[in-house]
Amino acid sequence: MTATRATHLRRLLAVVVGLTVASVTLSGCLFTPIQFGKNSASPSHGPDTSGVSADLKPFYAQTVVWRACNGGDECSRISVPLDWNAPSRGKAQLAVIRHRATDGSAQGALLVNPGGPGASGVQLIRDSVEYAVGSDLEKHYDVIGFDPRGVGGSTPAVRCYDATDMDSFLFDLPTQKRNTPAWVAEELSNFKQFGQACDRNSAGILSHIDTVSAARDMDVIRAVLGQKKLDYLGYSYGTFLGATYAGLYPNRVGHMVLDGALDPSVSALDVSVAQGIGFESALKAYMAYCLRQKGCPFTGTVADGMSDLGAMLAQVDADPLPNSDGRQLGADSLMTAIVSALYAQSSWKYLTQALDGVANGDPSIAFQLADFYYNRVDGRYEDNSFEAFNAYNCMDYPSGETAGQIAAAQQQLKQKAPTIAPYWSVQVDTCAEWPVKTAVTRQQIHASGAGPIVVIGTSNDPATPYAWAKSLASQLDSGVLITRIGQGHTGFNKGNSCVDDAVNGYFLNGTTPQNGLVCR
């Protein structure tokens, strides 16, 4: 097995709503069987089966049985076709949680997706509902969290390695010199083994893990909740999921906010380059902050600090630091730690602690950041987010870049992200050996006929660069762009009242924000 390389990070970095290192650990939705009485919940309207074909009607007409969970919320499972092209050939079960509107009179159901792909919406709403939607939306909406197909508590789930093999896959050091043909071959071999394990252990769902299927699943959720239109808040990858839904069902779009947007038309190679440059930019902003703080292990100018950080990465690449649990911190795990902390400005102080520790021979805090990225707690992986992340991306992004395209991309990274570039290789297509091949093509989404769709971009968002938000808003026929000037990933409910007021007014009062609104 290999270390956690930048190739692991190459496709749509684990984008989970910008949770900070200090956030509560998320856990699954626990079901508590109860006797149903007058306080038991059911949809306020019957399922919406309008315009549904006969082979899909059993899914759209199903009755949701809610059970009490999480000390006041309600949990259930919703059946969807395993294969949307052959609905009679089996079912998947989606885990769903409902957090009732706190004012007791919901104006509708609001579906929320935290990103990933592979992040659990059930876990997010169960443990962090106010963080996910803010107090105003929590008051007036029934907030719905769901685990997309293959994710978390939904079944079948994508399963690949046990904790021991996952540790080896993510943290073992490479045996070959970085960026050589032998290193590329080692990488491909390791990802081939990983994909084979996923194929063996995922109960036949791998060929049905893709964003189009997940978006169609959301329409079943909408319908069985009795909603004529979908109200939706999607973060990061959740913007691609939401935009895909809008492209499939434009006339069923209600209020939709896409925060931290992906451009659905870009290739995997373009994603990798844009994110590498984005994280380099965020790292420079962090360095300027660090140099003003007591305890920063760097001195001089930002350029000096970036140069010294590059030297630190090269040093641990050549001479890894041993951790108390037996793992060794090489450049790849340190890069994962850096990336993990750059999602939110509130996490920068932890990055300073980690880098100061590395400078003094202690990798423990860096490993805590890397573990947070993978949701690894005390040697256990709390969910299957990394496995589902790879499954979705390998089905959503076709392989096939030419050698010339790859060389040009690597050169662009060297020029625009010199600190990150050595550990952000685009030479290895991590999905080239995936056991299921995809025929999907990347293309723009217009969603002609949908009502206003609000797209939020943050000016120095490292994971979903601002240019993607601009592109998505311009692609959508009814796109409305909000720009947050600032650092970190996503913009809503992050302390910017301008963004928050615009989003809340749109959901609660139907007031469409001014297109091009800039929030500082």
Side-chain angles (χ1 to χ4, degrees):
M1 298 295 176
T2 70
T4 190
R5 316 217 191 303
T7 47
H8 289 189
L9 308 176
R10 168 159 129 59
R11 293 170 180 262
L12 305 187
L13 286 151
V15 277
V16 185
V17 81
L19 293 175
T20 67
V21 173
S23 297
V24 64
T25 300
L26 302 180
S27 57
C29 177
L30 301 179
F31 288 78
T32 306
I34 63 169
Q35 295 295 320
F36 288 89
K38 63 180 181 180
N39 292 323
S40 63
S42 61
S44 56
H45 306 286
D48 175 27
T49 60
S50 56
V52 175
S53 61
D55 58 347
L56 291 175
K57 197 163 185 178
F59 297 98
Y60 278 78
Q62 68 187 287
T63 299
V64 181
V65 178
W66 296 98
R67 292 189 173 97
C69 65
N70 194 35
D73 291 334
E74 300 152 342
C75 291
S76 190
R77 292 186 178 277
I78 294 175
S79 296
V80 295
L82 180 64
D83 183 350
W84 274 87
N85 294 318
S88 64
R89 293 184 182 175
K91 301 177 182 179
Q93 297 281 324
L94 306 182
V96 181
I97 188 171
R98 176 165 62 183
H99 178 83
R100 285 287 193 171
T102 56
D103 76 347
S105 178
Q107 68 179 62
L110 175 64
L111 269 67
V112 181
N113 180 273
S120 168
V122 169
Q123 294 174 359
L124 177 66
I125 300 308
R126 180 194 176 203
D127 293 323
S128 307
V129 62
E130 186 173 342
Y131 180 84
V133 303
S135 59
D136 288 345
L137 297 185
E138 182 187 6
K139 181 178 180 181
H140 296 289
Y141 270 94
D142 287 345
V143 181
I144 310 297
F146 65 101
D147 290 352
R149 56 174 52 214
V151 173
S154 294
T155 56
V158 179
R159 301 291 180 191
C160 305
Y161 282 151
D162 62 17
T164 298
D165 286 342
M166 188 66 80
D167 273 356
S168 181
F169 181 62
L170 295 176
F171 296 109
D172 282 0
L173 299 171
T175 63
Q176 304 297 323
K177 184 178 179 181
R178 185 182 301 280
N179 295 325
T180 63
W183 175 85
V184 171
E186 182 182 37
E187 288 281 275
L188 288 173
S189 176
N190 289 325
F191 273 98
K192 182 176 182 178
Q193 294 175 51
F194 175 73
Q196 290 172 340
C198 298
D199 198 27
R200 286 194 307 270
N201 299 323
S202 298
I205 199 173
L206 283 195
S207 59
H208 307 297
I209 297 295
D210 62 274
T211 295
V212 169
S213 295
R216 288 174 171 165
D217 294 344
M218 287 204 303
D219 199 51
V220 174
I221 299 174
R222 171 202 62 79
V224 300
L225 292 176
Q227 305 294 302
K228 294 292 185 182
K229 292 182 179 288
L230 178 75
D231 288 341
Y232 177 80
L233 173 59
Y235 294 99
S236 203
Y237 160 80
T239 67
F240 178 42
L241 180 59
T244 299
Y245 179 92
L248 292 168
Y249 309 105
N251 295 324
R252 298 177 187 173
V253 173
H255 298 90
M256 179 173 284
V257 170
L258 309 177
D259 185 3
L262 276 70
D263 182 344
S265 67
V266 299
S267 69
L269 190 61
D270 290 338
V271 166
S272 182
V273 171
Q275 288 189 321
I277 294 170
F279 276 99
E280 182 90 7
S281 178
L283 193 52
K284 289 179 181 178
Y286 158 77
M287 188 60 69
Y289 155 88
C290 181
L291 291 169
R292 298 192 298 268
Q293 308 302 311
K294 183 179 180 180
C296 180
F298 307 105
T299 59
T301 64
V302 169
D304 294 333
M306 294 292 284
S307 177
D308 289 343
L309 178 55
M312 177 184 288
L313 284 159
Q315 177 61 38
V316 297
D317 195 35
D319 188 16
L321 295 176
N323 196 44
S324 60
D325 62 4
R327 291 180 293 173
Q328 296 186 77
L329 186 82
D332 299 305
S333 292
L334 180 54
M335 182 58 67
T336 303
I338 292 169
V339 162
S340 179
L342 290 178
Y343 274 90
Q345 193 168 357
S346 56
S347 297
W348 287 3
K349 59 185 177 182
Y350 301 105
L351 180 55
T352 297
Q353 294 173 22
L355 295 175
D356 184 61
V358 171
N360 289 286
D362 178 7
S364 59
I365 298 177
F367 269 119
Q368 289 177 35
L369 286 171
D371 286 348
F372 178 80
Y373 180 89
Y374 292 118
N375 208 4
R376 180 183 184 273
V377 179
D378 296 329
R380 296 181 298 104
Y381 291 84
E382 296 287 283
D383 56 33
N384 72 332
S385 56
F386 177 80
E387 293 150 308
F389 164 84
N390 281 274
Y392 270 97
N393 283 323
C394 286
M395 292 297 286
D396 283 341
Y397 286 84
S399 300
E401 292 90 348
T402 67
Q405 290 171 324
I406 292 171
Q410 196 69 54
Q411 184 60 32
Q412 187 179 5
L413 278 172
K414 288 179 181 179
Q415 292 175 349
K416 297 186 177 181
T419 309
I420 283 176
Y423 316 100
W424 201 277
S425 173
V426 297
Q427 297 180 70
V428 178
D429 182 351
T430 60
C431 293
E433 299 292 345
W434 192 248
V436 182
K437 301 307 177 185
T438 180
V440 73
T441 57
R442 305 298 299 182
Q443 57 189 355
Q444 293 187 355
I445 295 176
H446 302 293
S448 178
I453 298 174
V454 175
V455 179
I456 303 174
T458 295
S459 61
N460 204 28
D461 187 325
T464 52
Y466 175 66
W468 292 352
K470 290 178 64 178
S471 179
L472 178 58
S474 66
Q475 288 175 37
L476 293 167
D477 285 0
S478 58
V480 175
L481 179 65
I482 296 177
T483 301
R484 179 176 77 92
I485 304 298
Q487 306 292 330
H489 184 43
T490 74
F492 174 58
N493 206 25
K494 299 295 184 295
N496 186 302
S497 60
C498 170
V499 174
D500 294 351
D501 290 347
V503 171
N504 288 329
Y506 169 69
F507 275 120
L508 299 175
N509 305 319
T511 304
T512 302
Q514 175 188 355
N515 187 24
L517 175 66
V518 177
C519 296
R520 301 181 183 276

